[in-house]
Structures are given as structure tokens and as C-alpha cells.
């Protein structure tokens, strides 16, 4: 016997499911969040739920928002259950379920006028974002905001109804400026280096196309704190819904499954206050950069390291990849030989201990994280998680054999077939371009590195070009399994 999640059953949830300890009717909105996906609901929303359960911060509830029609599907699922989400934590020795109630509304995605009206409300003091790496209009090679992107150019036209997140946010700020209301803080919760600076570049860059005075006002009056966020959270499938129903007796349209570990390191820079999240484990620091670089290189770079060889070997789950000695060995050697040496010291952190924690988390057999998810969107992720590490190694005159192999594995994956001949379905916004280039690179490896917007100077470095070509040729001649064996034996 199962019960369907809604506000009406919160007082009679199944015995093993925890629920909100606060009166949701008494919550007041303080944060508008763009990008209501699984990660947001397993991370920021959980921290706020913890805070509300402690009897604190009830005027910082969440209101969802979005700009894409596709986000309406998620909104419909959540609306049917009164904006509630079941969060299930799993590892080999632990599984728990809780219903979180920190979200109290979800504005219609794409309704620019309605969202701008809510952003103009003085009660809204933070606008937060999980819009993925590709949503910031960053030029991959330069790493800076691209003001020539057609969507940005369209939003900058006089009288235009904004379609982008940045355009809608800027319209909300303009309303507040004109009404004499303190501007809200804009807080990125995405996995990109210097996410606060990147967000500022986007909002101010768009403002500059519209009005230089507006750009100056935003620069001088709006806070964009940098933050490091971390919690492995896979996509929801029928598998997760079935586990929740069978193990806990609860039916949820869109539950979130995640690992028990979570981390949030955040710079304490806000224009109009913030919830006291330090009471529930958020680390507030003056400079998040050391933590961010550690996480992006060791964890996100580690994910990229295991993703593509596992994909070529037809491995489905991440924990299964970690059970494959060649993949686990590749991760261990590349991290210790080439990645971790590029990470500067981090306050109160031993990098080897951090790596061991990452290794343990990747091996979690319960979470159901997929290799395909890790392989997704390499054209945006590689320039952030891998290529800067290559650049640092080259500048220091150090070897890049393992990093070149990682890049060659990505190229081989984008060819579109596994080593067994299985078809790899499109898995990148730029898949057609990547596949065409990967096919050209089979005979001429340098063609892959000639993607200037992705590789930049790294793609013109003779040592890297040589190491990449050697690795790609080995992958085509012998396959991923034999090539990894040669690498681990020091013979690549």
C-alpha cells in the first residue's frame, strides 16, 4: 500500500519517511531560483529545509522559475504534489527518505512578465541559478562572456521581451532600480569556475549592450558571490520512482536520489541579507577559489577521466566503472601524476584525503549514477574541468600523457560507436560538429585539436599534439582496454 505525495498527507507519511517539521503555510518567499532540476532539489533546497526544520529563516522560502518550455514538465509534476520533493540518500550501508518543503511556488517557465514582476518584489532578496555550464553564454576557448550570442543580441534589442535568464534578471534589477528597491543578490550554484564572476560578466555584459549606465549601476550595486557546490545527483528514472514506492510506500512524480555527502562553500557577499545557512553546514569564506579549484579538477576532472573509457567499454553505471581495474587504475594514476599536482593547498584540507573521499563516492553502488550522464556535454565541460589542467602542466614543462589520453578518449567517444560497435546516441549540444570532427581526426588527429573555441593554445602545443595523436592512434588500433593497459604499464 502506497500513498501519493501531497500536502494533505504530510501528517501521515509512511513511518520511515521524514517530513517538514515546520508549517509550510507560514513560509514566505525570499529566493527565486532558476533551473529547478535534481541537483537544486538535492542541494540548496535541502539546506533550506534543514534551516526551516531548525525553526529559523522562514522568510527565505524558494520560488521556482525557468525560461524553457521543457521546464514546464517538471513544474507540472511538482505542482501536482504541492511543490514537495522526496529526497532519498543512498550508499552501500545507508538509505533514508525525507520530504522537503522549502519550495512554495513555481512561476510558469517562459512567462517573462510574471517572473519579472516577482523579481521586483522587495521580499525577494536572492536570485539563485542552476542553469548548467552551457547556460552562461561563455566562449569556451577564452572563458569569457560572449556578447555576440544570438540570444543575448536579441535580449539587448530595444523593447525586446527577454528570453534568457540574464535578460529576465536584468529586467528585474531595472524595475528595482527604478522603484528605489535594494537589488537582490545573484547567486550561482552551478559547477563552473568562478561562478559568481562568470554570472556577473553575463549580467553586466548584457547590460552594457543595452545601456552603459545600467551596466555601471549593476557592477556597483549587485553582489555575485562565488560558491562551490557538491553532491552527486543522477537523473530520475522509473528505477528511482519504483524504489521509493516499494521501499518506502510513497509515490512521488519526481523524486531525487543522491549520495549522503554534500558540501557548499560560499563567499559571504550579499546585498540585502541572507539566510543563516552556516547553522546547517554551509561554509562561509572570504575566498572560495581554493575549494572550487580542488573540486573542479579532482572531482569533475575525475568524472571526465572515468567517463569516456567506461563509455567505450559499454559500462552503464559509474560504480561499475570503478569496479573495472583499468578504469579505476586510470583514475588513480592520472589524478596522482598529473591532476592533483596542479592543485594549490586548500585551507584545512589534505588533498590525498579529499581524493580518497572522491574515490569512495564514485564507488557508491546504490546511487545509480550513469556513465552517459558523465559523458554529457563534453564541449562545455572539457574546457572547464580538463583543458585548464593541461595548460598548467604545459606551462610548467610537465608531462601530459594521461591528460592527452583522456582527451583522445573523449574524441573517440564522439565518433559515436563503442569498442564493441554499439551506437552512442547524441550526447552533447554540439554532437553533430563533434562527431564530424572526430571522424576527421581518425585519419588526422590534429583535426580534433583544431577546435579553437575548445582547445585554444593547448591545441597548438607541440608536446600535447604529439601525445594526443599517439593516444588516439592507439585507441583506434587496439581499443580502450589495451590502450589503458599500456598506459598503466608506462608504455604509452
Amino acid at each position: 500500500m502506497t500513498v501519493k505525495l501531497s500536502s494533505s498527507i504530510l501528517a501521515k507519511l509512511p513511518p520511515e519517511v521524514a517530513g517538514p517539521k515546520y508549517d509550510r503555510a507560514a513560509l514566505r518567499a525570499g529566493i527565486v531560483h532558476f533551473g529547478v532540476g535534481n541537483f537544486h532539489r538535492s542541494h540548496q533546497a535541502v539546506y533550506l529545509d534543514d534551516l526551516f526544520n531548525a525553526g529559523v529563516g522562514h522568510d527565505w522560502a524558494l520560488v521556482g522559475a525557468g525560461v524553457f518550455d521543457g521546464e514546464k514538465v517538471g513544474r507540472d509534476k511538482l505542482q501536482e504534489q504541492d511543490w514537495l520533493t522526496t529526497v532519498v540518500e543512498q550508499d552501500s550501508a545507508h538509505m533514508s527518505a525525507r520530504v522537503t518543503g522549502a519550495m512554495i511556488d513555481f512561476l510558469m517557465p517562459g512567462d517573462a512578465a510574471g517572473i519579472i514582476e516577482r523579481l521586483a518584489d522587495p521580499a525577494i532578496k536572492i536570485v539563485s541559478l542552476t542553469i548548467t555550464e552551457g547556460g552562461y553564454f561563455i566562449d569556451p576557448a577564452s572563458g569569457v562572456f560572449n556578447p555576440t550570442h544570438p540570444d543575448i543580441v536579441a535580449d539587448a534589442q530595444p523593447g525586446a521581451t527577454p528570453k534568457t535568464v540574464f535578460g529576465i534578471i536584468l529586467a528585474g534589477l531595472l524595475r528595482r532600480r527604478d522603484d528605489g528597491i535594494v537589488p537582490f543578490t545573484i547567486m550561482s550554484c552551478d559547477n563552473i569556475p568562478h561562478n559568481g564572476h562568470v554570472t556577473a560578466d553575463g549580467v553586466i555584459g548584457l547590460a552594457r549592450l543595452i545601456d552603459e549606465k545600467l551596466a555601471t549601476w549593476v557592477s556597483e550595486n549587485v553582489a555575485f558571490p562565488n560558491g562551490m557546490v557538491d553532491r552527486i545527483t543522477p537523473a530520475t528514472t522509473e528505477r528511482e520512482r519504483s524504489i521509493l514506492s516499494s521501499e518506502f510506500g510513497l509515490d512521488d512524480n519526481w523524486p531525487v536520489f543522491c549520495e549522503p555527502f554534500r558540501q557548499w562553500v560560499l563567499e559571504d557577499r550579499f546585498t540585502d541579507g541572507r539566510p543563516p545557512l552556516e547553522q546547517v553546514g554551509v561554509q562561509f569564506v572570504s575566498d572560495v577559489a581554493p575549494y572550487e579549484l580542488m573540486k573542479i579538477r579532482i572531482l569533475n576532472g575525475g568524472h571526465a577521466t572515468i567517463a569516456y573509457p567506461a563509455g567505450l567499454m559499454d559500462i552503464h553505471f559509474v560504480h561499475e566503472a570503478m569496479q573495472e581495474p583499468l578504469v579505476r587504475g586510470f583514475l588513480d594514476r592520472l589524478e596522482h601524476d598529473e591532476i592533483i599536482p596542479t592543485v594549490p593547498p586548500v585551507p584545512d584540507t589534505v588533498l590525498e584525503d579529499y581524493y580518497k573521499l572522491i574515490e569512495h563516492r564514485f564507488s557508491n553502488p546504490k546511487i545509480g549514477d550513469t556513465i552517459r550522464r558523465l559523458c554529457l556535454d563534453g564541449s562545455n565541460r572539457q574546457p572547464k574541468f580538463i583543458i585548464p589542467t593541461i595548460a598548467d602542466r604545459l606551462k610548467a614543462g610537465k608531462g601530459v600523457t594521461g591528460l592527452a589520453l583522456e582527451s583522445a578518449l573523449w574524441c573517440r567517444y564522439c565518433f559515436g560507436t563503442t569498442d564493441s560497435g554499439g551506437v552512442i546516441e547524441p550526447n552533447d549540444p554540439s554532437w553533430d560538429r563533434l562527431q564530424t570532427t572526430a571522424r576527421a581526426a581518425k585519419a588526422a588527429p590534429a583535426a580534433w585539436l583544431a577546435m579553437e573555441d575548445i582547445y585554444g593554445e593547448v591545441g597548438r602545443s607541440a608536446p600535447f599534439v604529439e601525445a594526443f595523436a599517439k593516444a588516439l592512434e592507439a585507441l583506434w588500433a587496439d581499443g580502450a582496454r589495451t590502450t589503458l593497459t599500456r598506459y598503466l604499464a608506462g608504455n604509452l
Side-chain angles (χ1 to χ4, degrees):
M1 183 69 180
T2 62
V3 295
K4 181 74 179 70
L5 181 60
S6 70
S7 291
S8 64
I9 62 97
L10 285 180
K12 45 189 175 182
L13 285 169
E16 294 186 3
V17 179
K21 300 174 183 175
Y22 48 89
D23 178 7
R24 293 183 74 228
L27 296 179
R28 296 292 177 265
I31 302 172
V32 169
H33 182 82
F34 285 88
V36 181
N38 278 20
F39 179 76
H40 163 71
R41 294 183 301 135
S42 78
H43 194 265
Q44 182 184 353
V46 169
Y47 279 104
L48 287 166
D49 190 65
D50 283 347
L51 191 67
F52 300 166
N53 277 334
V56 180
H58 289 181
D59 53 350
W60 291 101
L62 288 159
V63 173
V67 297
F68 300 114
D69 280 345
E71 294 175 274
K72 293 176 181 177
V73 174
R75 181 187 183 275
D76 288 347
K77 290 178 179 179
L78 293 175
Q79 183 177 32
E80 190 179 316
Q81 54 200 44
D82 305 315
W83 319 120
L84 297 166
T85 289
T86 311
V87 179
V88 179
E89 297 180 0
Q90 280 190 306
D91 64 15
S92 57
H94 167 85
M95 182 164 69
S96 64
R98 63 188 284 187
V99 172
T100 63
M103 176 177 285
I104 60 172
D105 195 5
F106 193 153
L107 306 172
M108 185 60 69
D111 177 15
I115 298 171
I116 292 165
E117 189 67 30
R118 197 59 174 263
L119 294 179
D121 181 352
I124 300 303
K125 300 184 178 185
I126 294 174
V127 172
S128 55
L129 311 170
T130 47
I131 55 175
T132 74
E133 297 93 339
Y136 287 82
F137 303 99
I138 305 165
D139 175 67
S142 65
V144 300
F145 174 67
N146 176 15
T148 66
H149 191 285
D151 293 349
I152 293 296
V153 172
D155 271 9
Q157 299 308 304
T161 298
K163 304 291 187 186
T164 69
V165 170
F166 291 162
I168 291 173
I169 286 174
L170 195 58
L173 286 171
L174 188 58
R175 281 277 303 274
R176 292 173 83 108
R177 185 190 71 171
D178 292 347
D179 293 346
I181 300 168
V182 176
F184 43 72
T185 296
I186 303 175
M187 181 178 71
S188 172
C189 300
D190 272 304
N191 244 332
I192 53 176
H194 318 299
N195 55 14
H197 296 322
V198 168
T199 309
D201 287 347
V203 176
I204 296 168
L206 174 57
R208 187 165 288 118
L209 297 177
I210 298 169
D211 177 7
E212 190 66 43
K213 290 183 179 178
L214 175 61
T216 301
W217 179 83
V218 173
S219 179
E220 292 177 350
N221 292 278
V222 180
F224 297 86
N226 292 297
M228 183 268 263
V229 296
D230 192 6
R231 190 172 216 184
I232 296 173
T233 309
T236 302
T237 67
E238 190 54 42
R239 169 186 179 272
E240 284 73 34
R241 283 186 285 270
S242 296
I243 290 172
L244 178 63
S245 179
S246 62
E247 296 290 329
F248 293 97
L250 185 63
D251 289 333
D252 184 325
N253 291 325
W254 193 17
V256 175
F257 279 55
C258 56
E259 63 176 340
F261 177 89
R262 55 183 153 115
Q263 187 177 19
W264 194 0
V265 185
L266 188 58
E267 291 173 355
D268 202 353
R269 294 189 290 109
F270 293 79
T271 55
D272 193 20
R274 62 166 176 81
L277 290 165
E278 67 275 15
Q279 295 185 25
V280 289
V282 176
Q283 297 168 256
F284 283 97
V285 298
S286 59
D287 181 12
V288 79
Y291 301 89
E292 178 183 72
L293 186 65
M294 172 184 71
K295 191 255 178 175
I296 282 171
R297 295 206 172 178
I298 299 177
L299 185 144
N300 296 113
H303 264 158
T305 298
I306 66 175
Y308 299 110
L312 292 173
M313 294 180 189
D314 300 291
I315 297 173
H316 184 71
F317 287 114
V318 175
H319 70 272
E320 292 172 338
M322 293 298 287
Q323 292 167 0
E324 164 54 60
L326 291 172
V327 175
R328 193 180 188 111
F330 181 42
L331 173 68
D332 187 76
R333 179 159 181 188
L334 180 54
E335 289 273 15
H336 286 102
D337 286 2
E338 298 180 28
I339 295 177
I340 295 173
T342 71
V343 179
V346 179
D348 304 316
T349 304
V350 177
L351 293 181
E352 178 60 22
D353 292 347
Y354 182 77
Y355 169 71
K356 290 298 183 187
L357 174 63
I358 296 304
E359 193 177 45
H360 173 75
R361 292 168 62 195
F362 287 2
S363 303
N364 185 343
K366 295 291 186 179
I367 197 166
D369 201 8
T370 65
I371 290 298
R372 182 170 172 82
R373 184 186 80 86
L374 301 195
C375 292
L376 173 70
D377 204 14
S379 61
N380 276 303
R381 293 179 175 182
Q382 290 280 314
K384 298 173 181 68
F385 302 154
I386 291 291
I387 294 170
T389 307
I390 299 170
D392 283 356
R393 295 284 295 177
L394 292 170
K395 286 174 189 173
K398 303 292 186 181
V400 289
T401 301
L403 289 163
L405 175 55
E406 188 281 337
S407 209
L409 285 158
W410 176 44
C411 173
R412 171 65 186 85
Y413 177 89
C414 291
F415 187 88
T417 58
T418 68
D419 279 350
S420 71
V423 174
I424 297 172
E425 297 296 333
N427 201 20
D428 193 288
S430 301
W431 185 258
D432 289 345
R433 175 203 184 193
L434 293 176
Q435 188 170 52
T436 299
T437 309
R439 289 176 175 176
K442 182 177 181 181
W448 185 257
L449 303 182
M451 292 190 291
E452 183 75 19
D453 57 319
I454 292 176
Y455 282 96
E457 289 184 14
V458 163
R460 298 189 295 273
S461 164
F464 184 68
V465 171
E466 181 182 349
F468 173 85
K470 189 174 182 180
L472 186 60
E473 288 163 2
L475 287 170
W476 276 116
D478 303 316
R481 197 171 286 277
T482 298
T483 302
L484 287 179
T485 301
R486 286 178 55 197
Y487 168 77
L488 293 174
N491 296 325
L492 188 62

